[in-house]
Amino acid sequence: MAFDVGLALTWILFLALFPLAFFWLRRTWRIFVKRDFSEVALKRGQPPPDAERWAPYEGAINAVAGVVVVFVIVGVVFAAMPYQTWTAIAGSTIWCKLFASFALGRHAHIAALRRPR
């Protein structure tokens, strides 16, 4: 096995899964257990005024993404997943989580502007 760019990127992706899983599951813990809504549906670093309303959605997005990434890590460590499978699952999970959190943040902030006072 020769060291090349593809192998380096594979290792970077695999090693990046550890902090991603940690941060996403920690964020889920903060939302559901500690009831800390400071990181819910962020837009420009600020939560919407009614962050508690959007907390279950953000928590679910983070929980699903974190559990899937942990599943991929376990699958790779125990050699249960071939390369094509785990990279596809990991990459899709990362992108879907980013897009879902982005969309939720935009939706929450727009809904807060339209809501009658």
Side-chain angles (χ1 to χ4, degrees), residues 1-4 7 11:
M1 177 187 328
F3 185 77
D4 62 347
L7 183 63
W11 272 100

Side-chain angles (χ1 to χ4, degrees), residues 45-93:
Q46 298 296 321
D50 55 346
E52 188 173 0
R53 174 181 175 202
W54 303 100
Y57 304 109
E58 184 74 27
I61 291 169
N62 285 297
V64 168
V67 168
V68 169
V69 168
V70 168
F71 173 73
V72 169
I73 291 170
V74 170
V76 170
V77 169
F78 291 116
M81 286 189 187
Y83 172 77
Q84 295 293 328
T85 303
W86 77 262
T87 55
I89 294 172
S92 298
T93 302

Side-chain angles (χ1 to χ4, degrees), residues 31 35-43 46-59 104-117:
I31 291 170
R35 311 286 296 164
D36 177 13
F37 305 127
S38 63
E39 295 181 356
V40 171
L42 297 178
K43 180 178 179 185
Q46 298 296 321
D50 55 346
E52 188 173 0
R53 174 181 175 202
W54 303 100
Y57 304 109
E58 184 74 27
L104 181 68
R106 296 312 174 263
H107 184 72
H109 283 273
I110 289 174
L113 291 176
R114 292 183 185 177
R115 186 177 240 186
R117 310 239 172 196

